[in-house]
Amino acid sequence: MVSREFRLQMEGYGLTTAEIHYHLPDHPSLLQLYVWQEYDLAPEFPTLKGFLDYWERELEGALHSVRVAHHRLIRPSEWKAVGGIFTVQ
């Protein structure tokens, strides 16, 4: 059986990491860091946007900033055709 993560990668999803800084509800002058990671589609990032919408709607800590990194783990590889026969012993 194929894992969910592998299936998403084959559909073009890449691993997205978001560094989310937010204000602590009890001490608004202090910032806290939350790291979020999920497979998502760049550059629209629908999964991340859905999570941030949920955060603003349901959680008390106001968002300060979000920094995003994205990398496709499976992509077409570069190769060159080589003429000849190679023997491996």
Side-chain angles (χ1 to χ4, degrees):
M1 178 151 196
V2 176
S3 71
R4 171 188 170 268
E5 291 80 11
F6 182 74
R7 191 179 73 251
L8 287 172
Q9 290 177 57
M10 295 305 293
E11 293 172 2
Y13 284 71
L15 187 60
T16 302
T17 304
E19 183 179 272
I20 302 168
H21 289 92
Y22 64 96
H23 296 277
L24 290 175
D26 297 337
H27 304 281
S29 61
L30 296 177
L31 290 177
Q32 180 75 9
L33 172 66
Y34 180 80
V35 177
W36 176 91
Q37 196 170 51
E38 183 62 67
Y39 289 94
D40 208 352
L41 287 170
E44 295 84 17
F45 300 110
T47 307
L48 175 59
K49 287 181 181 176
F51 176 74
L52 293 175
D53 289 343
Y54 166 80
W55 184 298
E56 290 182 329
R57 188 177 60 251
E58 301 293 332
L59 302 179
E60 292 182 23
L63 293 174
H64 175 269
S65 60
V66 178
R67 193 162 66 168
V68 178
H70 178 82
H71 184 69
R72 286 191 62 187
L73 302 174
I74 296 178
R75 59 180 176 228
S77 62
E78 296 181 15
W79 63 277
K80 295 179 183 179
V82 177
I85 297 174
F86 298 95
T87 304
V88 177
Q89 303 261 347

